Amino acid sequence: MTKAKTEAATIRDVARLAGVSVATVSRYLNKNAPLSPDAETRVQQAMTELNYEPHAMARSLATLKTNAIGLMLNKIEGDFFTPLLEGIENEATQAGYHLLISSSASIGPGRSSPLGPRNTDGLLVFSNAVAEPALRRLSESHFPVVLIHQSPPPDLRIPCVTVENKAATFKIVSHLIEKHQRRHIVLLRGPDDQEDSHWRETGYRQALDVHGLPFDPRLVRPGNFEREMAYRSMKEILSEGLPVDGVFAGDDEAALGAILAIQEAGLKVPDDVAMVGFDDQRISEYINPPLTTVRAPTEQVGRTATQLLINLINTGEAQSLTLLPTELILRRSCGCST
Amino acid sequence: MTKAKTEAATIRDVARLAGVSVATVSRYLNKNAPLSPDAETRVQQAMTELNYEPHAMARSLATLKTNAIGLMLNKIEGDFFTPLLEGIENEATQAGYHLLISSSASIGPGRSSPLGPRNTDGLLVFSNAVAEPALRRLSESHFPVVLIHQSPPPDLRIPCVTVENKAATFKIVSHLIEKHQRRHIVLLRGPDDQEDSHWRETGYRQALDVHGLPFDPRLVRPGNFEREMAYRSMKEILSEGLPVDGVFAGDDEAALGAILAIQEAGLKVPDDVAMVGFDDQRISEYINPPLTTVRAPTEQVGRTATQLLINLINTGEAQSLTLLPTELILRRSCGCST
DNA sequence: CTGAAAGCGCTTACAG
DNA sequence: CTGAAAGCGCTTACAG
């Protein structure tokens, strides 16, 4: 066992060396009360001489503030995870907060969440990483929570930040219809338990609607934001002989699988079937043909959510819904020549 | 301000309700002393009735253990970050530790590291995220630290886990020489302050050496593990008219830039110039031609480092060097036909 | 402007 | 097996 902790100087040591009381040192630390210049310099000196650093835990216990925020997510994976975390970590440490991370995948079932009021001042919850009952409990005890890419249950006022899924999907599907004259556009749906899926489906339907195209349920298949699933769905739909001239794949990952299925069927992207995705993963620019897709400001999502959470911690208030704008990235898979 | 904390039940509430002393509840919690069955059930009941959860901070203060480990890195970015963190987070929470993350990039200069003996039981340090003097201080106070992808200063015994950079590079460069008869192989060097760069350079030189090829300093250029830099270096070397028939790019990112430069010069990969990288980024499989490279077990690096750290915390001992094996991924850019 | 003292929620010798 | 009490390192009314 290490003894590092017992060797470190405490506030009492500093007080003794400076010839002042513990309270005075504390006041110097927190700069929350006037101090004589004399005392100030003596404390200052003692602190540097002892190489003193306040003990975070002790301070937390005394103030009932932890100066930490927590991030809960399902699983650490995927292209968007890094920029999301980068945004969060940046804002958090800039605001003087520590960042605790926990993925529910690695918590054994049954064991309760390791992150909560006991060790954080507030929580960032990504997608459906925290089940509704637990969310409800947190919310009812007025514990600061901000949701990312998921809206709260209708009766709970928990702030949420996400991206313009619906509008972006509307735009990209409309692009297929208007610019490239596609009429039979497949939708590869995302997983049911992710809210992004639903908004994207809504955007897809709206785009058909506005352009007077009929909604054909046979063109809607599971894609699950996965390459494999999308591949199989696409294979299947092609084998059924339905007329298909375009695909909104749900996300880029699914687009990968769908493109493969199309090419294996001897058809061409985009000539025979135009393809669009969502996310703008890094590889989407490199595949053949390069993928037309939607870029979401993921780092910004992280930053904004963190700012909101810190606001919520400090003031008790935060905007309830933040929708960040997305950007259409036109490449060759839709038929554009760029 | 939230009042969540003052509403939560404390150990005292549990004791009162159960009709026992605070000490008894504590003993039940820690299961570190015999307890009468009667007391046990009463405490048990009181705890569930009050929905009691021990306060982590208070416990930390009393035991001088934080039950948290910290991860320090320079910047949250890149393809390997996600698997690394996944491995770390998994091991940490499985062992009952919290994970604190801090990137030095987001700490203002001057401000001291937010992670240390005050709020963690041990630190994982990635690459050169912590400067040597600070590392020395930690090590001298016997604070548990494990280094990732970086060895300690020679006089410090800090455990380190990394991958077989040298052996892997030796193998992949030898492959270029033996299987594809390349004789003029460029080395695009990584950044000087990353240890990986040096081992890879050593592996490159060894491969030339063993095969009786002369080392030509004109073939060694800065690549910096960056696409842009590699592109420029490659452009330059090609314009100088040196005979070049192969490139070890340092990493995949650099290979991207180098391939572009070669193709822009009207040459073919791999026919005119064979290309190999290091990392096996996700896109490396999708580029044209698909990149031959080295795959490192990044998640495993994270897991192993975390296990070592926890061992170090508990026993004071840990293996000083762990070298994880890598895997050669043969694709078309080297001339293999797969 | 400054100090003595109580308290934050826990753990752990020390007695019994 | 169990309780009273001191202590972990800080902060913050309360007096002065």
Side-chain angles (χ1 to χ4, degrees):
Chain A
M1 310 279 173
T2 169
K3 323 179 287 173
K5 325 231 154 126
T6 60
E7 291 163 5
T10 82
I11 195 173
R12 191 174 272 111
D13 301 325
V14 177
R16 194 154 26 211
L17 183 61
V20 299
S21 75
V22 165
T24 299
V25 178
S26 173
R27 283 179 192 118
Y28 174 83
L29 244 28
N30 298 293
K31 312 219 175 293
N32 56 5
L35 223 54
S36 73
D38 176 51
E40 194 148 327
T41 58
R42 296 225 306 284
V43 171
Q44 172 72 283
Q45 277 177 6
M47 276 184 35
T48 58
E49 184 169 338
L50 293 175
N51 214 309
Y52 172 73
E53 287 189 60
H55 188 132
M57 303 281 146
R59 179 177 280 180
S60 292
L61 187 56
T63 56
L64 295 187
K65 265 211 91 183
T66 66
N67 289 310
I69 64 175
L71 170 63
M72 296 281 315
L73 28 72
N74 273 315
K75 197 166 170 7
I76 294 173
E77 68 177 347
D79 252 41
F80 66 87
F81 174 73
T82 301
L84 180 75
L85 189 66
E86 192 188 353
I88 294 173
E89 198 273 342
N90 250 278
E91 283 305 314
T93 83
Q94 228 127 72
Y97 282 83
H98 292 301
L99 177 62
L100 283 155
I101 295 199
S102 176
S103 85
S104 28
S106 49
I107 312 170
R111 271 208 278 169
S112 68
S113 159
L115 263 35
R118 289 324 205 170
N119 49 15
T120 61
D121 295 337
L123 236 41
L124 255 20
V125 175
F126 182 76
S127 193
N128 48 1
V130 172
E132 184 172 327
L135 214 54
R136 193 168 291 279
R137 230 174 301 131
L138 289 171
S139 170
E140 278 163 3
S141 69
H142 303 289
F143 186 70
V145 173
V146 169
L147 264 25
I148 299 178
H149 276 236
Q150 183 205 19
S151 30
D155 58 323
L156 262 34
R157 276 202 108 254
I158 307 181
C160 153
V161 10
T162 183
V163 300
E164 286 248 318
N165 274 303
K166 188 177 69 174
T169 306
F170 176 84
K171 245 203 279 189
I172 204 167
V173 174
S174 296
H175 175 82
L176 244 31
I177 300 171
E178 295 171 5
K179 285 276 186 321
H180 304 292
Q181 286 80 43
R182 305 299 156 145
R183 293 292 172 267
H184 307 282
I185 302 175
V186 169
L187 167 67
L188 263 21
R189 309 181 63 215
D192 278 336
D193 62 349
Q194 274 186 247
E195 194 173 310
D196 291 336
S197 313
H198 295 132
W199 291 117
R200 290 179 197 174
E201 181 161 355
T202 309
Y204 163 84
R205 296 180 79 139
Q206 239 172 43
L208 299 186
D209 213 46
V210 163
H211 295 87
L213 259 34
F215 171 76
D216 182 349
R218 292 172 308 171
L219 294 181
V220 177
R221 303 287 166 115
N224 225 25
F225 294 169
E226 281 170 17
R227 199 177 148 166
E228 196 44 39
M229 181 85 259
Y231 173 80
R232 272 181 284 147
S233 285
M234 203 64 218
K235 266 278 196 274
E236 201 179 278
I237 207 169
L238 255 20
S239 74
E240 293 170 13
L242 293 171
V244 164
D245 57 10
V247 177
F248 169 64
D251 80 344
D252 286 6
E253 200 56 29
L256 249 40
I259 289 177
L260 188 63
I262 293 169
Q263 292 175 159
E264 282 186 10
L267 298 172
K268 283 202 172 135
V269 179
D271 306 12
D272 300 313
V273 183
M275 176 71 55
V276 297
F278 202 114
D279 280 351
D280 196 25
Q281 296 191 137
R282 178 103 128 91
I283 59 167
S284 301
E285 186 184 345
Y286 292 90
I287 62 173
N288 191 3
L291 188 64
T292 288
T293 184
V294 173
R295 182 181 298 158
T298 306
E299 200 207 322
Q300 188 57 44
V301 168
R303 300 194 96 90
T304 306
T306 309
Q307 286 163 354
L308 283 179
L309 181 61
I310 289 173
N311 238 346
L312 192 58
I313 292 171
N314 290 326
T315 70
E317 322 226 320
Q319 193 180 344
S320 70
L321 177 63
T322 309
L323 227 46
L324 262 21
T326 52
E327 187 187 353
L328 209 60
I329 307 291
L330 297 176
R331 290 195 274 246
R332 295 217 320 269
S333 71
C334 64
C336 284
S337 53
T338 320
Chain B
M1 310 278 174
T2 171
K3 322 180 288 171
K5 319 219 161 144
T6 61
E7 291 163 4
T10 83
I11 196 174
R12 191 174 273 111
D13 300 324
V14 176
R16 193 153 29 208
L17 183 61
V20 299
S21 76
V22 164
T24 299
V25 179
S26 174
R27 284 180 190 117
Y28 175 85
L29 245 28
N30 298 294
K31 314 222 175 290
N32 56 4
L35 224 52
S36 73
D38 177 51
E40 195 150 327
T41 58
R42 296 225 305 284
V43 171
Q44 170 73 283
Q45 276 177 6
M47 276 183 34
T48 58
E49 184 169 336
L50 293 174
N51 214 307
Y52 172 74
E53 288 188 59
H55 189 132
M57 303 280 145
R59 178 176 281 180
S60 293
L61 186 55
T63 57
L64 294 187
K65 264 210 92 186
T66 66
N67 289 309
I69 64 175
L71 170 63
M72 296 281 315
L73 28 70
N74 272 316
K75 197 166 171 3
I76 295 173
E77 69 178 345
D79 254 41
F80 67 86
F81 175 72
T82 301
L84 180 75
L85 188 65
E86 192 186 353
I88 294 173
E89 197 274 341
N90 250 279
E91 282 307 313
T93 83
Q94 230 128 70
Y97 281 83
H98 292 302
L99 177 61
L100 283 154
I101 294 198
S102 176
S103 85
S104 29
S106 50
I107 311 170
R111 269 208 279 169
S112 69
S113 160
L115 264 35
R118 289 324 207 169
N119 49 16
T120 61
D121 295 336
L123 237 40
L124 255 21
V125 175
F126 182 76
S127 192
N128 50 357
V130 171
E132 184 172 328
L135 214 54
R136 192 167 292 278
R137 230 174 301 130
L138 289 172
S139 171
E140 277 163 3
S141 70
H142 302 289
F143 186 70
V145 173
V146 169
L147 264 24
I148 300 178
H149 276 235
Q150 183 205 18
S151 30
D155 57 323
L156 261 34
R157 274 201 109 255
I158 308 180
C160 153
V161 9
T162 183
V163 301
E164 286 247 318
N165 273 304
K166 189 178 67 176
T169 305
F170 176 84
K171 243 203 282 188
I172 204 168
V173 174
S174 296
H175 175 83
L176 244 31
I177 300 172
E178 296 171 5
K179 284 276 185 323
H180 303 293
Q181 286 81 44
R182 304 300 157 145
R183 293 292 171 268
H184 307 281
I185 303 175
V186 169
L187 165 67
L188 263 22
R189 310 182 61 214
D192 277 337
D193 62 349
Q194 275 186 245
E195 194 173 311
D196 292 336
S197 313
H198 295 132
W199 291 117
R200 291 180 197 173
E201 181 162 353
T202 309
Y204 163 84
R205 295 179 80 139
Q206 239 170 44
L208 298 188
D209 214 46
V210 164
H211 295 86
L213 258 35
F215 172 76
D216 182 349
R218 291 172 309 170
L219 294 181
V220 178
R221 304 288 167 114
N224 224 25
F225 294 169
E226 279 170 19
R227 200 177 147 167
E228 197 43 38
M229 182 83 257
Y231 173 80
R232 270 181 285 147
S233 285
M234 204 63 219
K235 267 281 201 267
E236 203 178 275
I237 207 169
L238 256 20
S239 75
E240 293 171 11
L242 293 171
V244 166
D245 57 11
V247 177
F248 170 63
D251 81 344
D252 286 7
E253 201 55 28
L256 249 39
I259 289 178
L260 189 63
I262 293 169
Q263 291 175 159
E264 282 187 10
L267 299 171
K268 279 197 173 140
V269 179
D271 307 12
D272 300 312
V273 183
M275 175 73 53
V276 297
F278 202 114
D279 279 352
D280 197 25
Q281 297 194 135
R282 177 102 129 91
I283 59 166
S284 301
E285 185 184 346
Y286 291 90
I287 62 172
N288 192 359
L291 188 64
T292 287
T293 184
V294 173
R295 182 182 295 159
T298 307
E299 201 206 322
Q300 189 56 45
V301 169
R303 301 193 96 89
T304 306
T306 310
Q307 288 163 354
L308 283 179
L309 181 62
I310 289 172
N311 240 345
L312 192 58
I313 292 171
N314 291 326
T315 70
E317 320 227 322
Q319 192 180 343
S320 71
L321 177 63
T322 308
L323 227 46
L324 263 21
T326 52
E327 185 187 353
L328 210 58
I329 307 289
L330 297 176
R331 288 195 276 246
R332 293 217 321 270
S333 71
C334 63
C336 285
S337 54
T338 322

